[in-house]
Amino acid sequence: MALKLMYITNNPDIARIAEDAGVDRIFIDMEYIGKSARQGGMDTVQSHHTVDDVRRIRKVISKAQLMVRINPLHKGSTEYGSSKEEIDAVIEAGADLVMLPYFTTVREIEDFVMLVDGRAKVFPLLESAKALELVDQILEVPGIDEVHVGINDLSLDLHKKFMFELLMDGTVEELCYKFKKKGIPYGFGGIGRIGKGDLPAENIIREHYRLGSTCAILSRSFCNANDYSDLEEIRHLFNEGVKEIRNLEKECELHAMYFQENEKNTAEKVYEILEKK
């Protein structure tokens, strides 16, 4: 099954281009509360999107789902409304999926599920060391539709030097096993362009397939639309970039089928042997 590709933008033109290229989810990112302090001044995306952006993008996309990352659960103040107000607003504006970042307790997930109340998909973003410790209890909470592992913030919280260490030290693999056992779809991290970057996207995509992931964020390195003024150039980048990813996925699916068939055949033989004993 092809990865659900997600791209962050509040620009209606870019959203249409991404959707036409085959991006599955347009991602509105409203998170800002506590994010700068948590990430320590790193050069990461902080979008400051708004509910008005949710409404604008809802009007221009028809095939892609609309996903909204809200702020961590919080009470209202003179600076901003409460989480309840925020969640109600984004759902009313047309969000299909609501993503909760940086939670640290089981109670937060329980409250999040309650506040969404079945009106959209519940999509926790696991990116704190405390959530990692509590993952077994968190996954017992009814009403979780998908989970994403935010390997950038999680690696910071675990004091790693490079976020993809979490792929190699077994952290992501163990989480994926737990999600799979619970029957909850899951994804992790982001991917750039095929053949680019210190760790090229093809290495990461193959890990997605090995671990049974179902979704990935297209990172800023895939296409930073702010670097281009020509929409046709952006369209070309999206069309070619998504095509390259889908072509690599076909290779991954062939290998995945090989191991799935072997697992099935091995299980059948084990059962045959057991029946004879």
Side-chain angles (χ1 to χ4, degrees):
M1 184 175 69
L3 291 170
K4 289 183 172 66
L5 300 177
M6 307 181 282
Y7 185 74
I8 298 173
T9 184
N10 66 339
N11 183 314
D13 292 326
I14 306 300
R16 279 191 293 259
I17 287 171
E19 181 183 54
D20 289 343
V23 172
D24 303 282
R25 291 171 174 169
I26 305 301
F27 189 157
I28 298 294
D29 185 9
M30 293 174 51
E31 182 192 7
Y32 70 94
I33 298 174
K35 192 169 184 178
S36 293
R38 188 168 78 240
Q39 295 184 338
M42 292 180 66
D43 182 25
T44 54
V45 176
Q46 296 188 30
S47 304
H48 292 278
H49 294 169
T50 67
V51 176
D52 285 337
D53 292 320
V54 181
R55 295 191 188 96
R56 272 193 292 271
I57 299 301
R58 178 75 281 167
K59 290 177 182 178
V60 302
I61 60 173
S62 57
K63 295 175 290 185
Q65 292 179 303
L66 181 54
M67 186 168 78
V68 180
R69 175 161 59 191
I70 58 170
N71 284 291
L73 291 190
H74 59 276
K75 295 179 180 179
S77 71
T78 55
E79 296 180 42
Y80 40 73
S82 67
S83 285
K84 181 182 186 310
E85 292 170 311
E86 187 174 65
I87 290 169
D88 287 346
V90 301
I91 293 173
E92 185 180 352
D96 296 307
L97 305 97
V98 182
M99 175 180 273
L100 177 69
Y102 212 78
F103 55 89
T104 59
T105 67
V106 178
R107 177 63 183 273
E108 285 172 277
I109 297 300
E110 293 172 338
D111 289 347
F112 179 44
V113 171
M114 180 187 67
L115 289 169
V116 174
D117 194 25
R119 296 171 294 166
K121 297 291 185 183
V122 167
F123 202 163
L125 177 61
L126 194 157
E127 54 181 348
S128 73
K130 289 181 180 177
L132 181 63
E133 292 174 10
L134 295 169
V135 65
D136 291 320
Q137 294 166 254
I138 287 165
L139 293 179
E140 292 298 325
V141 177
I144 297 173
D145 295 295
E146 290 189 42
V147 183
H148 200 80
V149 181
I151 60 175
N152 182 57
D153 278 41
L154 183 56
S155 67
L156 291 174
D157 227 12
L158 295 173
H159 308 293
K160 301 291 184 180
K161 293 181 180 179
F162 180 47
M163 63 181 173
F164 286 109
E165 282 185 72
L166 299 182
L167 272 180
M168 296 300 98
D169 68 8
T171 301
V172 172
E173 184 159 1
E174 184 176 356
L175 285 170
C176 290
Y177 172 77
K178 291 176 184 291
F179 302 148
K180 185 176 183 180
K181 193 174 179 182
K182 282 293 182 181
I184 299 172
Y186 53 90
F188 57 86
I191 52 177
R193 298 189 72 81
I194 298 292
K196 304 291 185 181
D198 293 335
L199 182 62
E202 54 266 39
N203 294 81
I204 303 166
I205 290 168
R206 290 182 183 121
E207 284 296 285
H208 276 273
Y209 270 79
R210 182 178 74 85
L211 298 172
S213 168
T214 59
C215 63
I217 298 168
L218 293 175
S219 67
R220 182 169 49 174
S221 63
F222 176 85
C223 178
N224 187 353
N226 293 329
D227 290 343
Y228 303 92
S229 57
D230 185 348
L231 286 178
E232 287 309 308
E233 188 174 2
I234 294 171
R235 188 184 306 279
H236 175 75
L237 286 169
F238 266 97
N239 287 342
E240 289 302 307
V242 172
K243 182 180 178 182
E244 288 171 351
I245 288 171
R246 296 309 187 199
N247 286 338
L248 177 63
E249 285 187 287
K250 290 175 184 176
E251 172 200 312
C252 293
E253 285 172 356
L254 286 174
H255 290 292
M257 285 296 295
Y258 173 84
F259 289 106
Q260 287 166 8
E261 284 297 317
N262 182 68
E263 181 182 22
K264 179 183 175 184
N265 291 336
T266 302
E268 288 173 354
K269 291 183 185 300
V270 168
Y271 289 132
E272 286 174 10
I273 294 166
L274 287 171
E275 286 176 0
K276 294 175 182 177
K277 289 187 177 292

